[in-house]
Structure formats: structure tokens, C-alpha cells
């Protein structure tokens, strides 16, 4: 069911100039799909739980990695094809350029090829709502932020009814391929759809594209997800502004919680860009099995040390998912996830948070019930909120930074009474999340997303299914990037969701033995007391390449490059 396109938005002067920007394609893709051959590698296996994952995905498990090489491939361009694209999950800068690259790759292969965007996320596939994406329509959205061309959504296509509806609509619209742009959960869902279509004998290719500002969809083959570069640059500008402010006013402690859900990649990267006084890394807290009180004590000691030097100010970066990394809190949240899932019907009949809390306390183990009771009422209530569509606590709604400030006020007051602290603690809290999801993509993300989309078009034209578009060697210049496809099942493991074991793409957490964390560990003591603040300023789109085209410090460190 074709739909009307969105009303046209006003166009700023910057957007007018960004519309003229031509992304740099990797050399292997420049001559188009007809000059690219798919070279298959060895058969693959999942990162964990191989027997279980293979049983769930018998038709798409064990596929070989694909690398694109030069070679004549006119056969992939002869027949005109129809391809659908869907944006799934949270927004990330560069989504429109994925669609632009996909469209241009298809049109380069055959001018009669057509691209259709399903509206509102995966629900658009089930409800058969789509719009044709023509070159004229795409022109308005090239190099822009947001997902507003076709919007996004968090619907998961997993029930028999949803899968059948998706299959029927893809067949009714004569689709040859479906491209799913999303994060780990969305691409897991892409794998489920690919497997289902194979089981049904339907020859529709399903290709994923790695998207998430969180940075946790990565491995040796997927070096970074798109949007991470732009989002961290946006957050770094804001944090840099705050650092400049504390260095000027010299009287406030700012606690900045940064988006990142289940990993601390964003916090780590923003720290590299700005050099704040304290950086909490969830994965480190978990590895050291720190309690909430130990986290607070470490911050209190730093605040007291700086106060002794006459510095009653500073900036602390807090990852969004910190509370889930504290072992005692992680255990509590896991128990809450299961309890809320198991007693969903009973809880739905209760009218107040207090009533729900008392019920939950009555069924939790004694140790966890005591921990729940010890938390401030506001935090306890936030832990009781509705789960996200995947059954997880919505960590973005838990104001961890305010919890830390509240506990610090209590501890510092005690330290002052004991003569161990003689400073003044005035705190300001921030949460930077949605500010970074739809920004104008950096040159890196504009190039990367365009290449991912173009690359996905070639995978689709070669009838690959169950693959994730992969563009590698990203610390090099864009023309030197390598392209191909990675089997989605290769990244799978089994995790507990809504009280049940389910296959999901394994999240990439901050590696404490990796070069990025080592760099933090080497420098954090200096940053803590000597105010080595860096003020990166806004994203630059015009100017010298070392400013406009620089990628993340995380990626450079991971690929063996030195940074200051």
C-alpha cells in the first residue's frame, strides 16, 4: 500500500551545502556492481552456543564470509529488481545516506531497479505501508541527520502471524530483497526473517546494516556501527562546553550521564575527546565487582582531594548503563526482569508504584529485597517502570547521575564531620542522549553510511541472504576501505530475554585489555587532578582533512594508531 511522502521541511544554509557533499566510495565499489565479484571464504560458526544457534537457524547457519573483489559481474545487473528498506530501532546519524547509497548502487546496476521504503519501522512491512524512494525524493535527504524520510520503529517481527504477513507482503509487492538497518536486536530480527523465508522456500534476500550510536554492534568484521562517530562528537562538544564553564566558574561539579545502554563505548570515546576529571566505565565496575557504595567512595575521595587543592569543581562522565554493571544492582535488575515478566498479569491490576513495589519485595530473595529497600524511592520506582520491547529495564529512564549526587552529599557530609573534607559540593546533573541521535552526520559517517548502503545493494544483487553489510579498515582513507558481507549467525549467542533463552547478536562491551581502555587507565590520574581539559567544539564539515575527516579515537587505538 503506497503512502504519501512527508511534508517538506525547511532547509538551512548548512543543509543546502551538505546536500552538495559527495561521499567518497571505496575504490572497489566505484565502478559499480557490474565490476564487483563476491568471493566466498570459509564456512563460519556463531561466537557461542553453536549447537543451539545452528538448530534455530538451520538454513542460514554456517554461511561463508564474503569479500568483494574486482571482476566482471554483469549477471547481477541484467534483471530489474525491487528492493525494500526499513529503518529499525533508535535513530543514528547517517541513516539517510545508507538509503542514498542503496538507491545509487541499485540504479548504477540497472536504471529500472526500484527501491521502496517501509514506513514506521518493521511494522510497515507487516502493515504493508511503503513509499517508493526515487532520486528526486532522495535528493532532499542526502547527508542529513534523522530517519524522517521513512521513520523508524521498534516492532519485532517474530510471531507466526507477523512473519506470515511480512512474507505475504514482500511477495505481493514482488520484492527481491529486504534491507534492515538496525542494531543488534534489529539485525537479530533480520536473521529470523531470513531464516523464515528460507524455510518457506521464498527467494527474497535479507541484508542487515549495522546501526547504533551505542557502539556495541562491532567485532573483527564490523569495526564500528554507524552514527557512533557523529554522536560522540556531538556529546563531546557539549561536555567540552561544560568543561570550559567549570574552568571559568570554578564552583560546580557536573555529573554527565551519556547514552549507551549496555556498554560504555560512548563514555570512553567522549572521555578521549575531552579529558574530564572522572570517567566511570561500567565494564570496569563489573570486573572489579564494585558495590554502589564503593563507586561513590571513589568519587568522594577525588572530590576531597581536589577540594584540598582549592578546586571545588570538576566533571564526571557516567555511562547510561552503569547501574546494570554494578554486580548487586545487576542481580537485582535480572531478578526484577524475571519477576515482572512472570507476574505481568497480577501487576497490571495494581494501580500504584508503591503497591507494585510491596508485591515485588515480597517475592524477591531477602538480600535483593533489602537492596531494593535501601535505594531512594525515585530510583526504586524507576526500576519498576515498564520494560522495553525486548524485556529489559529502560536504563535511560534511571537517573543514575542523581543517585550518585544524592549519595555523595550524604558521604561528603559525613567526611566533613570527621574532618576528612573541607570543601563545598555544589552539583549539577545532565543527561545527553537524544541530542546525539539525529545530528547532521560527520564526514566519516556520511562516507561510511553511503558505503554501507551501496555495499548492501551489491549483496542484494548477488542474492545473498542472512548477511550484514560490512565495510572494514576504517582508520584508513575512505577509498581504501574493504567491503563485503558477514553472516548474521556468525555474531549470535544465546541470552535470557523476558525470562526466556533467545538467540541474539552478541553485544560488544568495552574490553579492559584493549588499547582504548589501556589509554584511559594510563591518563585518568593526570586528568583527575591537573585539569587537562580539551574543548573539541562543534563538528566541522569544511576545512583541513585532519579536522573534517578524523574518526574516533577508539577506532584509531583499536587499529594500532597512537593518539596524544
Amino acid at each position: 500500500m503506497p503512502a504519501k511522502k512527508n511534508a517538506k521541511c525547511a532547509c538551512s544554509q548548512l543543509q543546502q551545502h551538505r546536500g552538495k557533499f559527495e561521499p567518497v566510495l571505496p575504490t572497489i565499489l566505484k565502478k559499480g556492481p557490474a565490476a564487483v565479484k563476491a568471493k566466498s571464504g570459509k564456512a563460519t560458526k556463531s561466537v557461542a552456543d553453536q549447537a543451539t544457534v545452528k538448530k534455530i537457524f538451520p538454513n542460514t547457519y554456517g554461511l561463508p564470509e564474503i569479500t568483494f573483489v574486482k571482476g566482471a559481474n554483469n549477471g547481477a545487473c541484467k534483471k530489474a529488481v525491487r528492493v525494500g528498506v526499513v529503518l529499525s530501532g533508535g535513530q543514528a546519524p547517517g541513516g539517510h545516506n545508507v538509503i542514498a547509497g542503496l538507491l545509487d548502487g541499485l540504479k548504477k546496476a540497472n536504471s529500472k531497479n526500484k527501491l521502496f521504503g517501509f514506513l514506521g519501522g518493521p511494522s510497515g512491512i507487516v502493515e504493508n505501508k511503503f513509499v517508493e524512494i526515487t532520486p528526486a525524493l532522495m535528493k532532499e535527504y542526502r547527508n542529513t541527520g534523522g530517519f524522517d524520510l521513512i521513520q523508524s520503529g521498534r516492532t519485532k517481527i517474530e510471531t507466526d502471524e507477523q512473519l506470515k504477513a511480512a512474507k505475504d507482503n514482500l511477495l505481493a509487492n514482488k520484492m527481491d530483497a529486504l534491507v534492515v538497518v538496525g542494531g543488534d536486536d534489529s539485525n537479530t530480527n533480520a536473521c529470523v526473517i531470513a531464516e523464515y523465508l528460507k524455510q518457506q522456500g521464498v527467494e527474497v534476500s535479507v541484508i542487515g546494516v549495522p546501526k547504533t550510536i551505542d557502539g556495541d554492534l562491532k567485532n573483527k568484521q564490523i569495526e564500528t556501527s554507524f552514527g557512533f562517530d557523529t554522536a560522540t562528537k556531538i556529546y563531546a562538544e557539549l561536555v567540552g562546553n561544560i568543561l570550559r564553564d567549570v574552568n571559568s566558574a570554578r564552583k560546580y561539579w557536573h555529573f554527565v550521564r551519556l547514552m549507551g545502554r549496555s556498554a560504555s563505548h560512548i563514555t570512553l570515546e567522549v572521555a578521549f575527546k575531552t579529558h574530564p576529571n572522572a570517567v566511570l566505565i561500567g565494564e570496569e565496575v563489573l570486573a572489579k565487582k564494585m558495590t554502589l557504595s564503593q563507586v561513590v567512595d571513589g568519587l568522594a575521595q577525588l572530590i576531597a582531594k581536589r577540594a584540598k587543592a582549592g578546586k571545588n569543581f570538576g566533571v564526571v562522565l557516567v555511562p547510561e548503563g552503569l547501574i546494570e554493571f554494578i554486580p548487586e544492582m545487576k542481580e537485582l535488575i535480572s531478578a526484577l526482569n524475571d519477576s515482572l515478566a512472570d507476574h505481568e498479569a497480577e501487576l497490571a491490576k495494581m494501580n500504584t508504584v508503591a503497591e507494585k513495589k510491596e508485591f515485588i519485595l515480597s517475592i524477591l530473595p531477602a538480600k535483593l529485597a533489602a537492596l531494593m529497600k535501601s535505594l531512594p524511592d525515585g530510583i526504586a520506582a524507576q526500576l519498576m517502570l515498564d520494560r522495553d520491547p525486548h524485556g529489559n529495564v529502560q536504563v535511560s529512564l534511571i537517573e543514575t547521575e542523581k543517585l550518585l549526587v544524592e549519595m555523595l552529599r550524604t558521604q561528603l557530609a559525613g567526611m566533613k564531620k570527621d574532618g576528612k573534607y573541607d570543601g563545598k559540593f555544589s552539583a549539577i546533573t545532565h543527561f545527553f542522549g537524544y541530542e546525539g541521535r539525529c545530528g547532521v552526520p560527520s564526514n566519516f559517517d556520511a562516507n561510511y553510511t553511503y558505503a554501507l548502503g551501496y555495499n548492501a545493494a551489491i549483496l542484494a544483487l548477488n542474492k545473498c541472504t542472512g548477511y550484514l553489510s560490512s565495510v572494514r579498515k576504517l582508520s584508513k582513507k575512505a577509498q581504501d576501505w574493504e567491503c563485503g558481507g558477514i553472516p548474521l549467525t556468525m555474531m549470535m549467542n544465546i541470552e535470557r530475554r523476558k525470562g526466556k533463552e533467545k538467540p541474539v547478536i552478541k553485544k560488544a562491551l568495552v574490553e579492559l585489555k584493549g588499547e582504548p581502555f589501556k589509554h584511559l587507565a594510563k591518563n585518568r590520574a593526570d586528568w583527575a587532578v591537573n585539569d587537562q581539559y580539551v574543548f573539541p567544539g562543534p563538528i566541522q564539515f569544511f576545512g583541513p582533512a585532519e579536522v573534517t575527516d578524523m574518526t574516533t579515537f577508539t577506532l584509531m587505538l583499536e587499529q594500532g594508531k597512537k593518539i596524544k
Side-chain angles (χ1 to χ4, degrees), residues 153 200 385 403:
Q200 296 293 310
L385 291 172
L403 170 64

Side-chain angles (χ1 to χ4, degrees), residues 171-242:
L171 288 174
N173 293 303
K174 298 180 180 179
M175 296 291 180
D176 296 281
L178 172 67
V179 176
V180 178
V181 182
D184 53 337
D185 284 313
S186 299
N187 277 293
T188 296
N189 200 203
C191 196
V192 169
I193 297 170
E195 178 67 26
Y196 175 80
L197 293 176
K198 274 284 188 181
Q199 289 176 355
Q200 296 293 310
V202 175
E203 295 299 319
V204 176
S205 298
V206 181
I207 309 297
V209 175
K211 174 268 326 171
T212 173
I213 67 166
D214 295 354
D216 58 4
L217 175 51
K218 67 176 184 177
N219 47 51
K220 290 181 180 179
Q221 296 78 23
I222 306 298
E223 295 172 355
T224 189
S225 52
F226 81 76
F228 180 74
D229 182 81
T230 304
T232 53
K233 283 174 177 169
I234 291 171
Y235 297 140
E237 178 194 356
L238 297 172
V239 171
N241 293 346
I242 290 172

